Amino acid sequence: MVNDQKHIDEYFETEEEIEGEGKTPPFQTPKGVHDILPHDHEFHTYIKKIVRHRSRQAGFKRISTPIFEFTEVFKRTIGEATDIVSKEMYTFEDKKGRSLTLKPEGTASICRAYIQHNMKDLPQPVELFYYEPHFRYDRPQAGRYRQFWQYGFEVIGESDPALDVQSILLAYKIFEDLGIAHTLKLQINNIGDLNSRKVYVEALRDYYFGKERYLSEEDKIRLQKNPLRVLDSKYEDTIILNQSAPKFKDFISPESQAFHEEVLEYLTDLGIEYTENNSLVRGLDYYNQTVYEFWDEKKGAQNSVGGGGRYDGLIEMLGGQPTPAIGFAMGIERVIAQMKRHKVRVPSKDDLHVFVAQLGREAKKICIPLINQLRDRGVRSMGALGKGAIKNQLKIADKFKAPYCILIGLTEVRDQTAIIRNMIKGSQRTVKMSEVVDEIIKSVGKENLDFYNPQDPIDL
Ligand code: AMP
């Protein structure tokens, strides 16, 4: 084995490593976006399998919406005064001057699709899940990207505290399967129904009336468009002013309070620990009642791994009939970072079983169909079919960490044989060419063969 060679997977592991070589390539990804290299794809594949399994078990079906929508879809729902709409959208005009936006999140598009495809005529609730890229012109930093992946789900058409809890439970189960549930804590709040929010908004307007001079220009605009967003302000003077502002909890109607208490009771029964967090409002306007996030409490709100909430008014905002709904979304990059931080290992299906090395044109003629046959029988195989000494080909086999190597040189061509080399032990034996595939399968183990069954309902 050539142990001093850097393994190919490690080479692919991080972008820094390539940058660390000292040469800056002429082209790099734009700020805030990143390539998903093979090592991280192993995480994505693993996460996809888990979310698909858990979603299906709970009756969800997959949906994909376009990468861009009419800008209005997001403006109307997420809210013009939110950071997402006011600062973070990738908005552009098409050739006919229509305003389009790369989707910054999934829920608004799914509700647009719910209305467009008359999903109200389906049995309710309609349960949908997605695994999609989203785009926000966010300030790039650890865990904050301009293109990021989200898995999420929506339950549309019914309202009951039990549905809120079932959503939280599904998210929790996924985190459990991913091996990170114990590192996260559920933060939960109830931000009231639409009516109590209206009353609260008026109380906020009254409170800020006459105090505008203490607000930043941005907060003044927020105050006009949606006073709730002033509470999210990051300006020091506004933060001080906010400390004495009326509190949400004093405006929540008895119905919302009862709804919230029921949610908390179910959570306790299920043994899901939570922190009641009165300042959790989430940065999108369409939420009402239950809102929740999963945080690594050591890292706080900036690193929410996932979150969701009820949005009973959203479908109406888009022109549909009043339809209650609740959803959840988690950031895949943050999930992967959390898994890596806690040393969760994911299985790799990329490892080669066998590497085929050859010498001479006649040997190559044998190798091409041999590799084809090996692959057809489920053996992950690769060959160095270019020119090069067998010794060098073996070095390559070693870099790819192939446990077995088949060697075919001039003697083997003449004798109709092949050499099977065990790359771990360094031993080798000669077998008849007609038996080499069966011999390799025996060594690899039938249970490890890589077969694809087109009947498997794989759609991710
Ligand atoms: P949101 O759509 O804002 O409720 O976000 C849901 C989840 O998506 C968050 O909890 C994060 O895990 C993830 N997320 C949101 N914004 C970003 C971003 N800019 N980069 C990476 N992940 C993000």
Side-chain angles (χ1 to χ4, degrees):
M1 292 286 274
V2 189
N3 286 324
D4 56 346
Q5 295 280 358
K6 205 188 317 155
H7 178 246
I8 195 85
D9 265 359
E10 285 162 21
Y11 176 76
F12 278 128
E13 206 154 59
T14 61
E15 289 161 78
E16 288 74 27
E17 234 174 283
I18 298 168
E19 286 164 12
E21 308 269 300
K23 291 169 265 163
T24 308
F27 293 107
Q28 310 235 356
T29 46
K31 209 172 162 189
V33 299
H34 61 108
D35 300 311
I36 304 175
L37 298 174
H39 181 67
D40 273 351
H41 259 300
E42 291 179 353
F43 280 86
H44 275 265
T45 306
Y46 185 70
I47 295 167
K48 278 180 196 170
K49 274 195 205 160
I50 285 171
V51 299
R52 187 180 65 213
H53 170 242
R54 282 289 178 190
S55 309
R56 288 244 173 81
Q57 259 191 346
F60 287 77
K61 301 217 162 48
R62 190 175 178 203
I63 183 167
S64 289
T65 56
I67 294 292
F68 55 83
E69 297 268 354
F70 287 119
T71 303
E72 200 54 25
V73 170
F74 305 117
K75 267 197 187 167
R76 262 202 214 183
T77 54
I78 298 170
E80 292 209 42
T82 58
D83 277 355
I84 296 182
V85 171
S86 64
K87 296 194 246 176
E88 297 172 0
M89 295 211 299
Y90 280 92
T91 298
F92 58 98
E93 281 192 359
D94 73 1
K95 290 188 195 246
K96 292 214 164 141
R98 288 171 289 224
S99 180
L100 301 171
T101 293
L102 300 186
K103 58 180 170 186
E105 59 104 41
T107 305
S109 304
I110 291 176
C111 289
R112 191 264 311 134
Y114 178 92
I115 301 166
Q116 182 173 339
H117 303 289
N118 278 322
M119 292 191 211
K120 67 173 183 352
D121 297 338
L122 299 174
Q124 308 289 305
V126 172
E127 297 188 329
L128 299 166
F129 75 99
Y130 60 90
Y131 191 102
E132 306 266 302
H134 294 97
F135 305 85
R136 289 183 200 171
Y137 195 78
D138 229 329
R139 196 144 43 90
Q141 50 186 285
R144 200 162 281 280
Y145 302 97
R146 291 183 173 169
Q147 177 182 343
F148 57 96
W149 288 77
Q150 279 183 335
Y151 155 77
F153 58 79
E154 318 290 349
V155 181
I156 307 176
E158 265 186 40
S159 175
D160 192 279
L163 286 175
D164 299 32
V165 171
Q166 275 194 320
S167 303
I168 295 170
L169 179 62
L170 177 53
Y172 183 81
K173 281 293 187 192
I174 286 169
F175 289 134
E176 230 175 32
D177 289 356
L178 292 169
I180 53 172
H182 66 287
T183 72
L184 303 173
K185 185 83 176 281
L186 171 65
Q187 313 285 313
I188 191 162
N189 191 18
N190 185 301
I191 57 170
D193 54 33
L194 299 176
N195 276 339
S196 38
R197 282 180 86 188
K198 267 188 204 146
V199 178
Y200 180 57
V201 164
E202 282 318 307
L204 282 179
R205 268 192 223 284
D206 287 349
Y207 173 75
Y208 292 114
F209 184 77
K211 301 188 181 81
E212 287 91 344
R213 63 183 181 284
Y214 300 112
L215 298 177
S216 68
E217 286 311 307
E218 194 180 347
D219 288 331
K220 280 181 196 154
I221 297 170
R222 287 172 154 184
L223 180 58
Q224 273 177 4
K225 291 187 174 167
N226 183 355
L228 281 174
R229 294 270 77 95
V230 180
L231 297 171
D232 284 345
S233 176
K234 293 173 186 87
Y235 291 91
E236 217 168 295
D237 286 353
T238 316
I239 292 173
I240 294 168
L241 200 59
N242 285 348
Q243 283 164 2
S244 315
K247 300 278 175 283
F248 240 147
K249 61 178 173 35
D250 299 325
F251 290 79
I252 286 178
S253 64
E255 295 77 23
S256 294
Q257 191 59 38
F259 192 99
H260 189 49
E261 274 160 21
E262 207 174 322
V263 169
L264 298 185
E265 195 182 317
Y266 292 144
L267 286 174
T268 307
D269 289 350
L270 285 167
I272 298 180
E273 282 181 31
Y274 56 82
T275 301
E276 268 202 88
N277 184 337
N278 285 324
S279 55
L280 187 75
V281 286
R282 313 213 72 227
L284 303 92
D285 278 357
Y286 56 61
Y287 286 116
N288 66 299
Q289 301 277 33
T290 308
V291 289
Y292 64 97
E293 287 186 354
F294 285 89
W295 296 355
D296 183 333
E297 280 193 331
K298 287 194 199 101
K299 295 181 159 282
Q302 277 305 307
N303 274 289
S304 149
V305 176
R310 183 157 277 293
Y311 51 89
D312 296 336
L314 205 165
I315 296 207
E316 211 179 341
M317 287 175 192
L318 289 172
Q321 293 171 2
T323 312
I326 184 156
F328 167 79
M330 70 187 199
I332 304 301
E333 286 81 0
R334 292 202 194 161
V335 166
I336 294 176
Q338 194 72 2
M339 290 169 77
K340 286 184 179 169
R341 208 172 292 128
H342 292 276
K343 313 242 173 309
V344 178
R345 301 194 72 84
V346 301
S348 167
K349 249 212 155 189
D350 292 345
D351 295 344
L352 274 186
H353 292 136
V354 63
F355 193 91
V356 180
Q358 48 73 40
L359 200 65
R361 208 181 135 96
E362 289 307 310
K364 209 184 284 188
K365 258 191 179 163
I366 295 173
C367 285
I368 295 170
L370 174 64
I371 291 173
N372 186 35
Q373 219 185 329
L374 284 163
R375 290 178 184 165
D376 277 352
R377 299 211 28 208
V379 181
R380 284 196 289 270
S381 330
M382 197 174 147
L385 297 181
K387 295 188 188 79
I390 289 259
K391 202 171 138 215
N392 287 340
Q393 294 183 38
L394 281 179
K395 276 190 189 164
I396 298 173
D398 200 47
K399 280 194 210 168
F400 278 103
K401 282 201 168 168
Y404 297 99
C405 202
I406 296 174
L407 306 169
I408 301 177
L410 303 177
T411 317
E412 289 71 36
V413 171
R414 190 194 62 214
D415 298 349
Q416 290 288 296
T417 57
I419 296 170
I420 296 181
R421 186 176 169 85
N422 182 321
M423 299 292 284
I424 295 158
K425 292 186 184 154
S427 59
Q428 61 185 47
R429 65 202 164 100
T430 301
V431 300
K432 279 191 205 155
M433 179 56 76
S434 56
E435 290 167 7
V436 67
V437 175
D438 287 332
E439 286 299 321
I440 283 286
I441 289 176
K442 250 191 246 164
S443 306
V444 168
K446 278 197 176 134
E447 68 286 0
N448 295 320
L449 294 178
D450 188 350
F451 279 115
Y452 163 60
N453 176 2
Q455 295 300 320
D456 275 351
I458 292 173
D459 62 3
L460 270 174

